[in-house]
Amino acid sequence: AGAGPAVGCILVPIGVALFVDSGAWPSIFGALERRVPLMALYGIRLSSEAVLLSLSGGVVVSEGVGPVLLQRWGVPVSESVATVAVRKLLLVVSQTVYIGLGVALGFAFLQQTSTVVLGGPGLEWLMVAAVVILGLASGAIMIGLLKGAPGSRFYGLLARIPSRRLGSWLVQHRDPFTALDQHFAVAL
């Protein structure tokens, strides 16, 4: 209660982090020959983060906010889903690089503190293993997006559901699913 206006400073780090995260998005849209203003993307990113933090199922729901809001800028859902997935992949890749650098620069420190943290040696190699696993996972995800045709596969899974209503909807909306695969290839 006594913090006064200074309490607003709490919002600065998350606001900056979301702005930086939004900053990579225009280049991904550029690969798809689409222009969406950075401030619009920042607003969309803030909206999805607000949903994430305010709903109990926010993790699932917030991922759908971006594609819905991007429709206001004339971006088809298939393109926006591709850009969201590529942005998430790039985030994992960047985190892998950061952790790898941290492990490389702090290897001796990890060795020294291993006994305190784990009760024995090996923390440094555990961290090396984590970096390798993240790197392999990033590569697998990238290959899956490029070669795995996730849009077409998801369409195929939905087509197996025994529902006439869903079946007729799928027939009318097949193109966005196949376009999604093309958007992944272009965006990556």
Side-chain angles (χ1 to χ4, degrees):
V7 79
C9 293
I10 294 171
L11 299 175
V12 172
I14 187 71
V16 170
L18 292 175
F19 187 77
V20 169
D21 181 50
S22 301
W25 221 351
S27 62
I28 299 169
F29 275 112
L32 295 170
E33 298 179 3
R34 186 87 51 195
R35 289 191 172 272
V36 180
L38 176 59
M39 291 312 291
L41 293 171
Y42 182 57
I44 290 168
R45 188 67 182 90
L46 285 173
S47 299
S48 65
E49 193 69 17
V51 169
L52 172 76
L53 296 173
S54 60
L55 296 176
S56 60
V59 173
V60 176
V61 178
S62 70
E63 294 302 326
V65 169
V68 170
L69 293 177
L70 281 165
Q71 286 181 318
R72 293 181 182 171
W73 293 94
V75 179
V77 172
S78 60
E79 282 185 27
S80 58
V81 167
T83 64
V84 169
V86 169
R87 205 177 90 247
K88 298 282 184 188
L89 173 63
L90 293 175
L91 180 63
V92 173
V93 169
S94 68
Q95 293 298 317
T96 304
V97 170
Y98 297 148
I99 295 169
L101 286 172
V103 170
L105 295 173
F107 197 83
F109 176 77
L110 291 169
Q111 284 177 318
Q112 292 169 359
T113 59
S114 184
T115 305
V116 174
V117 175
L118 296 179
L123 179 61
E124 68 281 7
W125 296 111
L126 187 64
M127 293 305 297
V128 167
V131 170
V132 169
I133 290 168
L134 281 171
L136 291 173
S138 299
I141 292 168
M142 187 176 299
I143 290 169
L145 291 177
L146 287 172
K147 307 260 186 214
S152 298
R153 286 183 182 218
F154 186 60
Y155 181 89
L157 288 172
L158 289 175
R160 291 183 185 153
I161 297 173
S163 166
R164 289 182 201 190
R165 190 172 175 186
L166 176 61
S168 64
W169 183 87
L170 285 171
V171 168
Q172 296 172 358
H173 296 90
R174 182 180 186 105
D175 291 343
F177 287 92
T178 56
L180 180 60
D181 299 329
Q182 295 166 349
H183 298 318
F184 282 130
V186 172
L188 283 171

